Amino acid sequence: MSAQCEACGARVWPWESSQLKNGVRSYGVCCNFGKVDLPSVEAPPEPLQRLLNGTDNECKVFRLNLHKYNNAFALASLNVQLDPNYANGVGGAYAFQIQGTVYHHVGPLFPQNNEVPRLGLQLL
């Protein structure tokens, strides 16, 4: 990525759709040509910050497997309301159709105050 959106600072590919308005080159893939103002990304909490930036073996292994960890949490929990005509407990639903919005529910990475780990953390 060798270009940068002047409206939001995102790194983009130079061939992506862009426009020049009032001397500012903006792109559609990041901020919709300057129409969306996203807040700055906060630094991750200390345990994650160390894993992302550290040089020891544990940090290197973490970064090497980061894509796998991300995939493990991508569908950690999916809440659905099944149609009883299809999911009746007898034969089960081999597939189901999603209508509306899909939400993924994942508990905190580090539970607070003796909180029991929920959802995705139970996979680890």
Side-chain angles (χ1 to χ4, degrees):
M1 298 184 159
S2 58
Q4 186 170 10
C5 178
E6 295 174 11
C8 71
R11 306 277 303 171
V12 294
W13 298 110
W15 55 82
E16 298 200 62
S17 176
S18 68
Q19 67 182 21
L20 185 63
K21 186 174 181 180
N22 298 329
V24 175
R25 170 124 351 247
S26 60
Y27 292 80
V29 298
C30 48
C31 64
N32 195 17
F33 305 106
K35 296 175 188 169
V36 176
D37 186 21
L38 298 174
S40 298
V41 177
E42 294 181 23
E46 176 46 41
L48 184 56
Q49 182 80 346
R50 184 186 70 76
L51 289 170
L52 292 171
N53 298 320
T55 57
D56 62 23
N57 192 46
E58 179 185 27
C59 298
K60 291 176 184 176
V61 169
F62 176 80
R63 288 191 301 270
L64 183 66
N65 293 295
L66 190 56
H67 187 73
K68 294 176 188 175
Y69 300 144
N70 187 53
N71 287 342
F73 288 109
L75 280 172
S77 176
L78 178 64
N79 289 342
V80 297
Q81 291 180 335
L82 294 174
D83 185 336
N85 294 322
Y86 296 103
N88 56 18
V90 177
Y94 292 103
F96 61 92
Q97 178 180 356
I98 297 173
Q99 179 178 355
T101 305
V102 175
Y103 295 95
H104 304 289
H105 302 279
V106 179
L109 185 59
F110 299 104
Q112 301 292 321
N113 302 327
N114 297 325
E115 183 181 30
V116 176
R118 296 176 287 148
L119 306 172
L121 283 178
Q122 294 175 356
L123 297 174
L124 300 177

